[in-house]
Amino acid sequence: MTTKKKLEAFCYDEHDDAQFIQKYEENLEFFNGLLRTGSWEDLELVLHIKLLKYADPLNHVGRFPEALRVLNEVEDDLKKLYGRSNWYDKYKENLNFLKAVCLSRTKRYSESNQYFLKLLAKDQVDDNYLKWYRSNMKHLVNRLSWQVMIGCVIVYLGLLGLEWINPELNWPWMNLSVLTVGLLTLVSPYVMAYLIDRSKMVRSVARQ
């Protein structure tokens, strides 16, 4: 059995993530050689393995920067299959999904949603894409809410400090305004989460 057939058999068998990662890295030069000089059938095979048996396991074990680097390499190599392979669209979809997940798990939610919007623009959409998109939106709202809330606390304490230093200063309306904004910010993530879960506008936005 040739090296390619052995590796193909291994990658289509059941193994844990660490074993897939180890096997790919042990044969890195062989795979890179096929990507450089192999036929388009070789490219189909290696890109499938690199996407689902290397980048995806890297993502599963939390090695997100490495997974993103590998996915960027796949994106470059995938261009060679454009117009030549029936698998191009499926590989592109897998690539976009894995990049979106990695970006989300590194808290780059806005970048992640740019990829999910591409996926949601398709006619046939996996519900999982929508769940991830909404989860990213909630994280962005939470992040903004915390930033505003911290700003409100700093401003409120600053106002109290100024009034303590100079008792003649009295800004009850400003203190009340800051407290009101802070309280609204505290509640807003729950309200926005409710609205995000029930929004039907995501698909229309994705197709614009």
Side-chain angles (χ1 to χ4, degrees):
M1 186 181 291
T2 64
T3 300
K4 186 171 77 171
K5 288 295 183 182
K6 289 179 181 177
L7 291 173
E8 185 177 2
F10 177 88
C11 290
Y12 282 100
D13 202 355
E14 292 292 329
H15 301 283
D16 62 35
D17 291 329
Q19 289 174 309
F20 280 127
I21 293 170
Q22 181 180 3
K23 180 62 70 172
Y24 192 93
E25 292 178 346
E26 286 175 351
N27 295 275
L28 187 62
E29 287 303 316
F30 177 78
F31 284 125
N32 285 343
L34 288 180
L35 289 172
R36 284 193 301 269
T37 61
S39 64
W40 65 267
E41 291 93 343
D42 290 334
L43 285 175
E44 284 183 338
L45 172 64
V46 177
L47 288 177
H48 172 82
I49 293 172
K50 195 170 184 178
L51 263 174
L52 302 181
K53 308 298 181 180
Y54 187 41
D56 195 26
L58 286 172
N59 176 32
H60 288 165
V61 300
R63 292 165 60 178
F64 305 123
E66 293 171 77
L68 282 170
R69 175 183 55 77
V70 171
L71 291 169
N72 287 333
E73 294 172 0
V74 170
E75 191 166 23
D76 289 336
D77 288 321
L78 188 57
K79 295 173 184 176
K80 301 172 187 176
L81 287 183
Y82 183 74
R84 302 174 63 189
S85 170
N86 293 329
W87 286 100
Y88 175 84
D89 289 338
K90 185 60 179 177
Y91 287 174
K92 186 68 173 179
E93 182 176 349
N94 288 335
L95 172 67
N96 286 337
F97 177 66
L98 288 176
K99 287 192 81 169
V101 170
C102 281
L103 289 167
S104 180
R105 287 179 171 162
T106 53
K107 300 183 178 181
R108 295 159 63 180
Y109 304 117
S110 294
E111 293 177 68
S112 173
N113 268 0
Q114 292 303 309
Y115 286 95
F116 280 120
L117 282 174
K118 293 178 183 178
L119 294 167
L120 290 167
K122 296 168 61 67
D123 290 330
Q124 300 294 325
V125 173
D126 189 327
D127 287 341
N128 200 31
Y129 301 159
L130 190 55
K131 290 178 183 177
W132 273 96
Y133 180 88
R134 286 172 169 165
S135 175
N136 283 342
M137 291 299 295
K138 292 174 188 176
H139 282 300
L140 287 170
V141 169
N142 288 340
R143 177 183 290 171
L144 179 60
S145 296
W146 274 108
Q147 291 170 345
V148 173
M149 197 181 312
I150 291 170
C152 288
V153 170
I154 292 171
V155 171
Y156 183 74
L157 292 176
L159 291 172
L160 290 180
L162 289 173
E163 290 178 356
W164 181 76
I165 293 170
N166 186 355
E168 293 182 1
L169 295 175
N170 187 18
W171 300 311
W173 61 270
M174 190 174 294
N175 291 339
L176 181 61
S177 297
V178 173
L179 283 174
T180 301
V181 171
L183 289 172
L184 289 174
T185 303
L186 191 63
V187 175
S188 63
Y190 302 99
V191 176
M192 290 302 299
Y194 177 86
L195 295 175
I196 289 168
D197 283 336
R198 283 150 185 79
S199 174
K200 297 181 179 179
M201 296 177 61
V202 177
R203 293 291 305 280
S204 60
V205 171
R207 293 183 175 184
Q208 287 181 357

